[in-house]
């Protein structure tokens, strides 16, 4: 069936370096994508989203890239900080008002001081 | 903006007890709310979609008589785990989406940790 998955289960980066978290999706009909950050014991927190008519979107210290040709989504975090340590999920949503959000498996980002 | 409040944050109770979890959208109206379940080190699994004023839509494998959902207003949905057993212990998270707007992010509550003894 359709699924959203992540390439790596964990990512360890040095404080101050840039982080890149990758996500592959298989539903070519998906038209909306979101990255969430989940800290321990809390619910997912919205980071940034992108629609399928775009290939790049920037926020504060974060950039999301969408490559529809290879069905790939990535989250780039500039100057990674200890507070960025969390589990990151990509999520995709298909077309239609009743389409559901499907989450990827999650990747743990660990920032080394 | 777009704050979702979930209560309680932690529940410990005996087997056979029914537990109610509330989900409120504090500063926006949500015709649709979602209930998820998350086991340790796993992703979020959608249990059901809660629609204001109508019956909830449950995902395959989720027992509607076990997990009762009520969405009586545009700002409140409740999930009741009836006759809870240890296997129901999990992290339950609700989410809400702004009414009448497509392709907007879902906003999540901080979850309810349910532990059944």
């Amino acid at each position: 069936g359709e699924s959203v998955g992540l390439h790596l289960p964990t990512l360890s980066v040095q404080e101050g370096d840039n982080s890149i978290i990758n996500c592959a999706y298989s539903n070519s009909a998906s038209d909306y994508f979101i990255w969430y950050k989940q800290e321990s014991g809390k619910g997912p927190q919205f980071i940034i989203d992108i629609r399928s008519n775009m290939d790049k979107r920037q926020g504060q210290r974060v950039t999301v890239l969408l490559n529809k040709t290879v069905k790939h989504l990535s989250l780039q975090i500039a100057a990674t900080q200890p507070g960025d340590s969390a589990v990151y999920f990509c999520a995709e949503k298909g077309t239609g008002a009743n389409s559901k959000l499907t989450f990827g498996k999650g990747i743990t980002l660990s920032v080394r001081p | 903006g777009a704050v979702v409040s979930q209560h309680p944050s932690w529940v410990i109770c005996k087997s056979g007890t029914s537990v109610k979890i509330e989900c409120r959208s504090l500063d926006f109206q949500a015709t649709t709310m979602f209930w998820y379940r998350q086991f340790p080190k796993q992703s979020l699994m959608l249990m059901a979609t809660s629609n204001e004023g109508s019956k909830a839509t449950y995902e395959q494998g989720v027992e509607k008589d076990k997990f009762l959902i009520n969405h009586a207003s545009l700002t409140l949905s409740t999930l009741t785990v009836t006759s809870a057993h240890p296997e129901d212990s999990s992290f339950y998270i609700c989410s809400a989406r702004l009414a009448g707007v497509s392709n907007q992010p879902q906003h999540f509550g901080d979850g309810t940790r349910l532990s059944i003894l």
Side-chain angles (χ1 to χ4, degrees):
Chain A
E2 299 289 5
S3 65
V4 179
L6 298 178
H7 293 304
L8 300 173
T10 59
L11 177 65
S12 180
V13 299
Q14 189 70 39
E15 181 179 358
D17 287 352
N18 297 332
S19 302
I20 300 176
I21 303 172
N22 296 305
C23 176
Y25 66 94
S26 56
N27 186 353
S28 57
S30 295
D31 66 349
Y32 181 55
F33 304 87
I34 310 173
W35 279 101
Y36 286 97
K37 172 187 179 183
Q38 186 178 28
E39 296 176 318
S40 181
K42 295 188 176 181
Q45 176 187 358
F46 170 80
I47 301 174
I48 192 167
D49 59 358
I50 188 168
R51 291 170 176 74
S52 60
N53 61 351
M54 303 171 68
D55 54 19
K56 180 179 180 179
R57 191 165 186 224
Q58 288 184 298
Q60 187 176 15
R61 276 202 312 120
V62 294
T63 301
V64 55
L65 298 176
L66 175 63
N67 186 330
K68 293 182 291 293
T69 302
V70 296
K71 290 182 282 188
H72 185 266
L73 188 71
S74 69
L75 176 69
Q76 300 179 0
I77 304 174
T80 312
Q81 303 169 0
D84 295 327
S85 295
V87 178
Y88 289 80
F89 293 97
C90 64
E92 56 94 9
K93 180 177 175 293
T95 56
N98 295 325
S99 60
K100 303 164 192 173
L101 203 59
T102 302
F103 281 81
K105 294 181 181 178
I107 183 168
T108 300
L109 176 64
S110 177
V111 181
R112 303 188 303 271
Chain B
V3 176
V4 176
S5 175
Q6 198 170 332
H7 178 80
S9 58
W10 201 313
V11 179
I12 302 175
C13 58
K14 294 181 180 179
S15 183
T17 306
S18 292
V19 178
K20 180 186 283 188
I21 303 169
E22 291 187 349
C23 180
R24 296 180 185 272
S25 55
L26 295 187
D27 51 358
F28 67 102
Q29 293 184 331
T31 51
T32 305
M33 290 185 174
F34 306 87
W35 288 96
Y36 293 82
R37 184 172 180 174
Q38 186 180 32
F39 290 106
K41 300 192 183 301
Q42 294 190 23
S43 188
L44 282 74
M45 297 301 297
L46 180 64
M47 299 174 64
T49 301
S50 167
N51 298 295
E52 187 265 338
S54 64
K55 291 183 179 180
T57 303
Y58 290 82
E59 294 300 301
Q60 188 174 10
V62 178
E63 299 176 57
K64 62 180 181 180
D65 295 331
K66 173 76 172 177
F67 300 99
L68 301 178
I69 291 173
N70 182 276
H71 192 163
S73 78
L74 287 172
T75 59
L76 174 64
S77 176
T78 61
L79 168 69
T80 301
V81 183
T82 61
S83 187
H85 292 285
E87 59 266 28
D88 298 321
S89 298
S90 189
F91 193 48
Y92 292 87
I93 312 172
C94 74
S95 173
R97 194 165 64 199
L98 189 64
V101 181
S102 63
N103 280 356
Q104 288 289 317
Q106 289 177 210
H107 299 279
F108 288 82
D110 268 344
T112 297
R113 176 76 58 193
L114 177 61
S115 297
I116 308 298
L117 304 177

